[in-house]
Amino acid sequence: MSKIEGSGAKGGKLIAVIGDEDTCTGFLLGGVGELNSKRQPNFLVVDKDTPVDDIADAFRRFTNRNDIAIVLINQNIAELIRHLLDRYEQPIPAVLEIPSKDHPYDPTKDSILRRAKGMFNADDFR
């Protein structure tokens, strides 16, 4: 059971995962998997046959649940719902794009990183 403590909720908050089978399996083995009171999991395993609408629905569900603090999504899967990620502006749950075994991380595609870079200029770090 992997919960984030100190988040203000009784018992902490969860991490959600939208990823390929290997990514989800790794996080589930690490104890991230949970079911809420409605028996809904906090993860979605995506394969080549998963409809984009199912991915978008899971993203919306996870970002609207008050028991989730972080949503991890494989970057190649995030590309399929980029329009949703680009519009998402809430600080919690935080959405983090992560690499998968078959697709390395590309910082130029990460909408959160692009947004953060736009907040600062080079003079801020001198």
Side-chain angles (χ1 to χ4, degrees):
M1 194 173 353
S2 180
K3 293 187 179 185
I4 299 170
E5 298 300 330
S7 59
K10 184 178 177 183
K13 292 199 176 206
L14 303 174
I15 297 172
V17 181
I18 301 173
D20 59 21
E21 184 175 15
D22 291 334
T23 300
C24 288
T25 299
F27 280 102
L28 291 174
L29 287 172
V32 168
E34 293 275 341
L35 295 175
N36 67 5
S37 60
K38 297 177 184 174
R39 308 285 301 158
Q40 297 170 325
N42 63 328
F43 61 92
L44 174 70
V45 179
V46 177
D47 62 21
K48 61 181 175 46
D49 297 324
T50 304
V52 174
D53 287 342
D54 289 358
I55 300 167
D57 289 344
F59 178 78
R60 286 187 199 100
R61 253 192 340 269
F62 295 156
T63 55
N64 286 315
R65 280 178 52 177
N66 62 4
D67 63 336
I68 293 179
I70 299 172
V71 177
L72 302 175
I73 183 168
N74 284 137
Q75 190 172 54
N76 62 306
I77 296 168
E79 284 297 310
L80 300 173
I81 58 166
R82 179 62 59 199
H83 62 285
L84 292 176
L85 273 76
D86 287 344
R87 285 191 312 220
Y88 183 76
E89 294 180 349
Q90 301 302 314
I92 296 175
V95 177
L96 303 175
E97 296 181 28
I98 60 174
S100 68
K101 184 172 76 172
D102 298 325
H103 300 88
Y105 177 75
D106 181 356
T108 62
K109 293 180 179 178
D110 190 327
S111 57
I112 306 297
L113 185 60
R114 282 194 318 253
R115 201 174 309 150
K117 283 183 179 180
M119 294 172 62
F120 303 102
N121 63 44
D123 293 333
D124 291 338
F125 300 105
R126 291 185 186 172

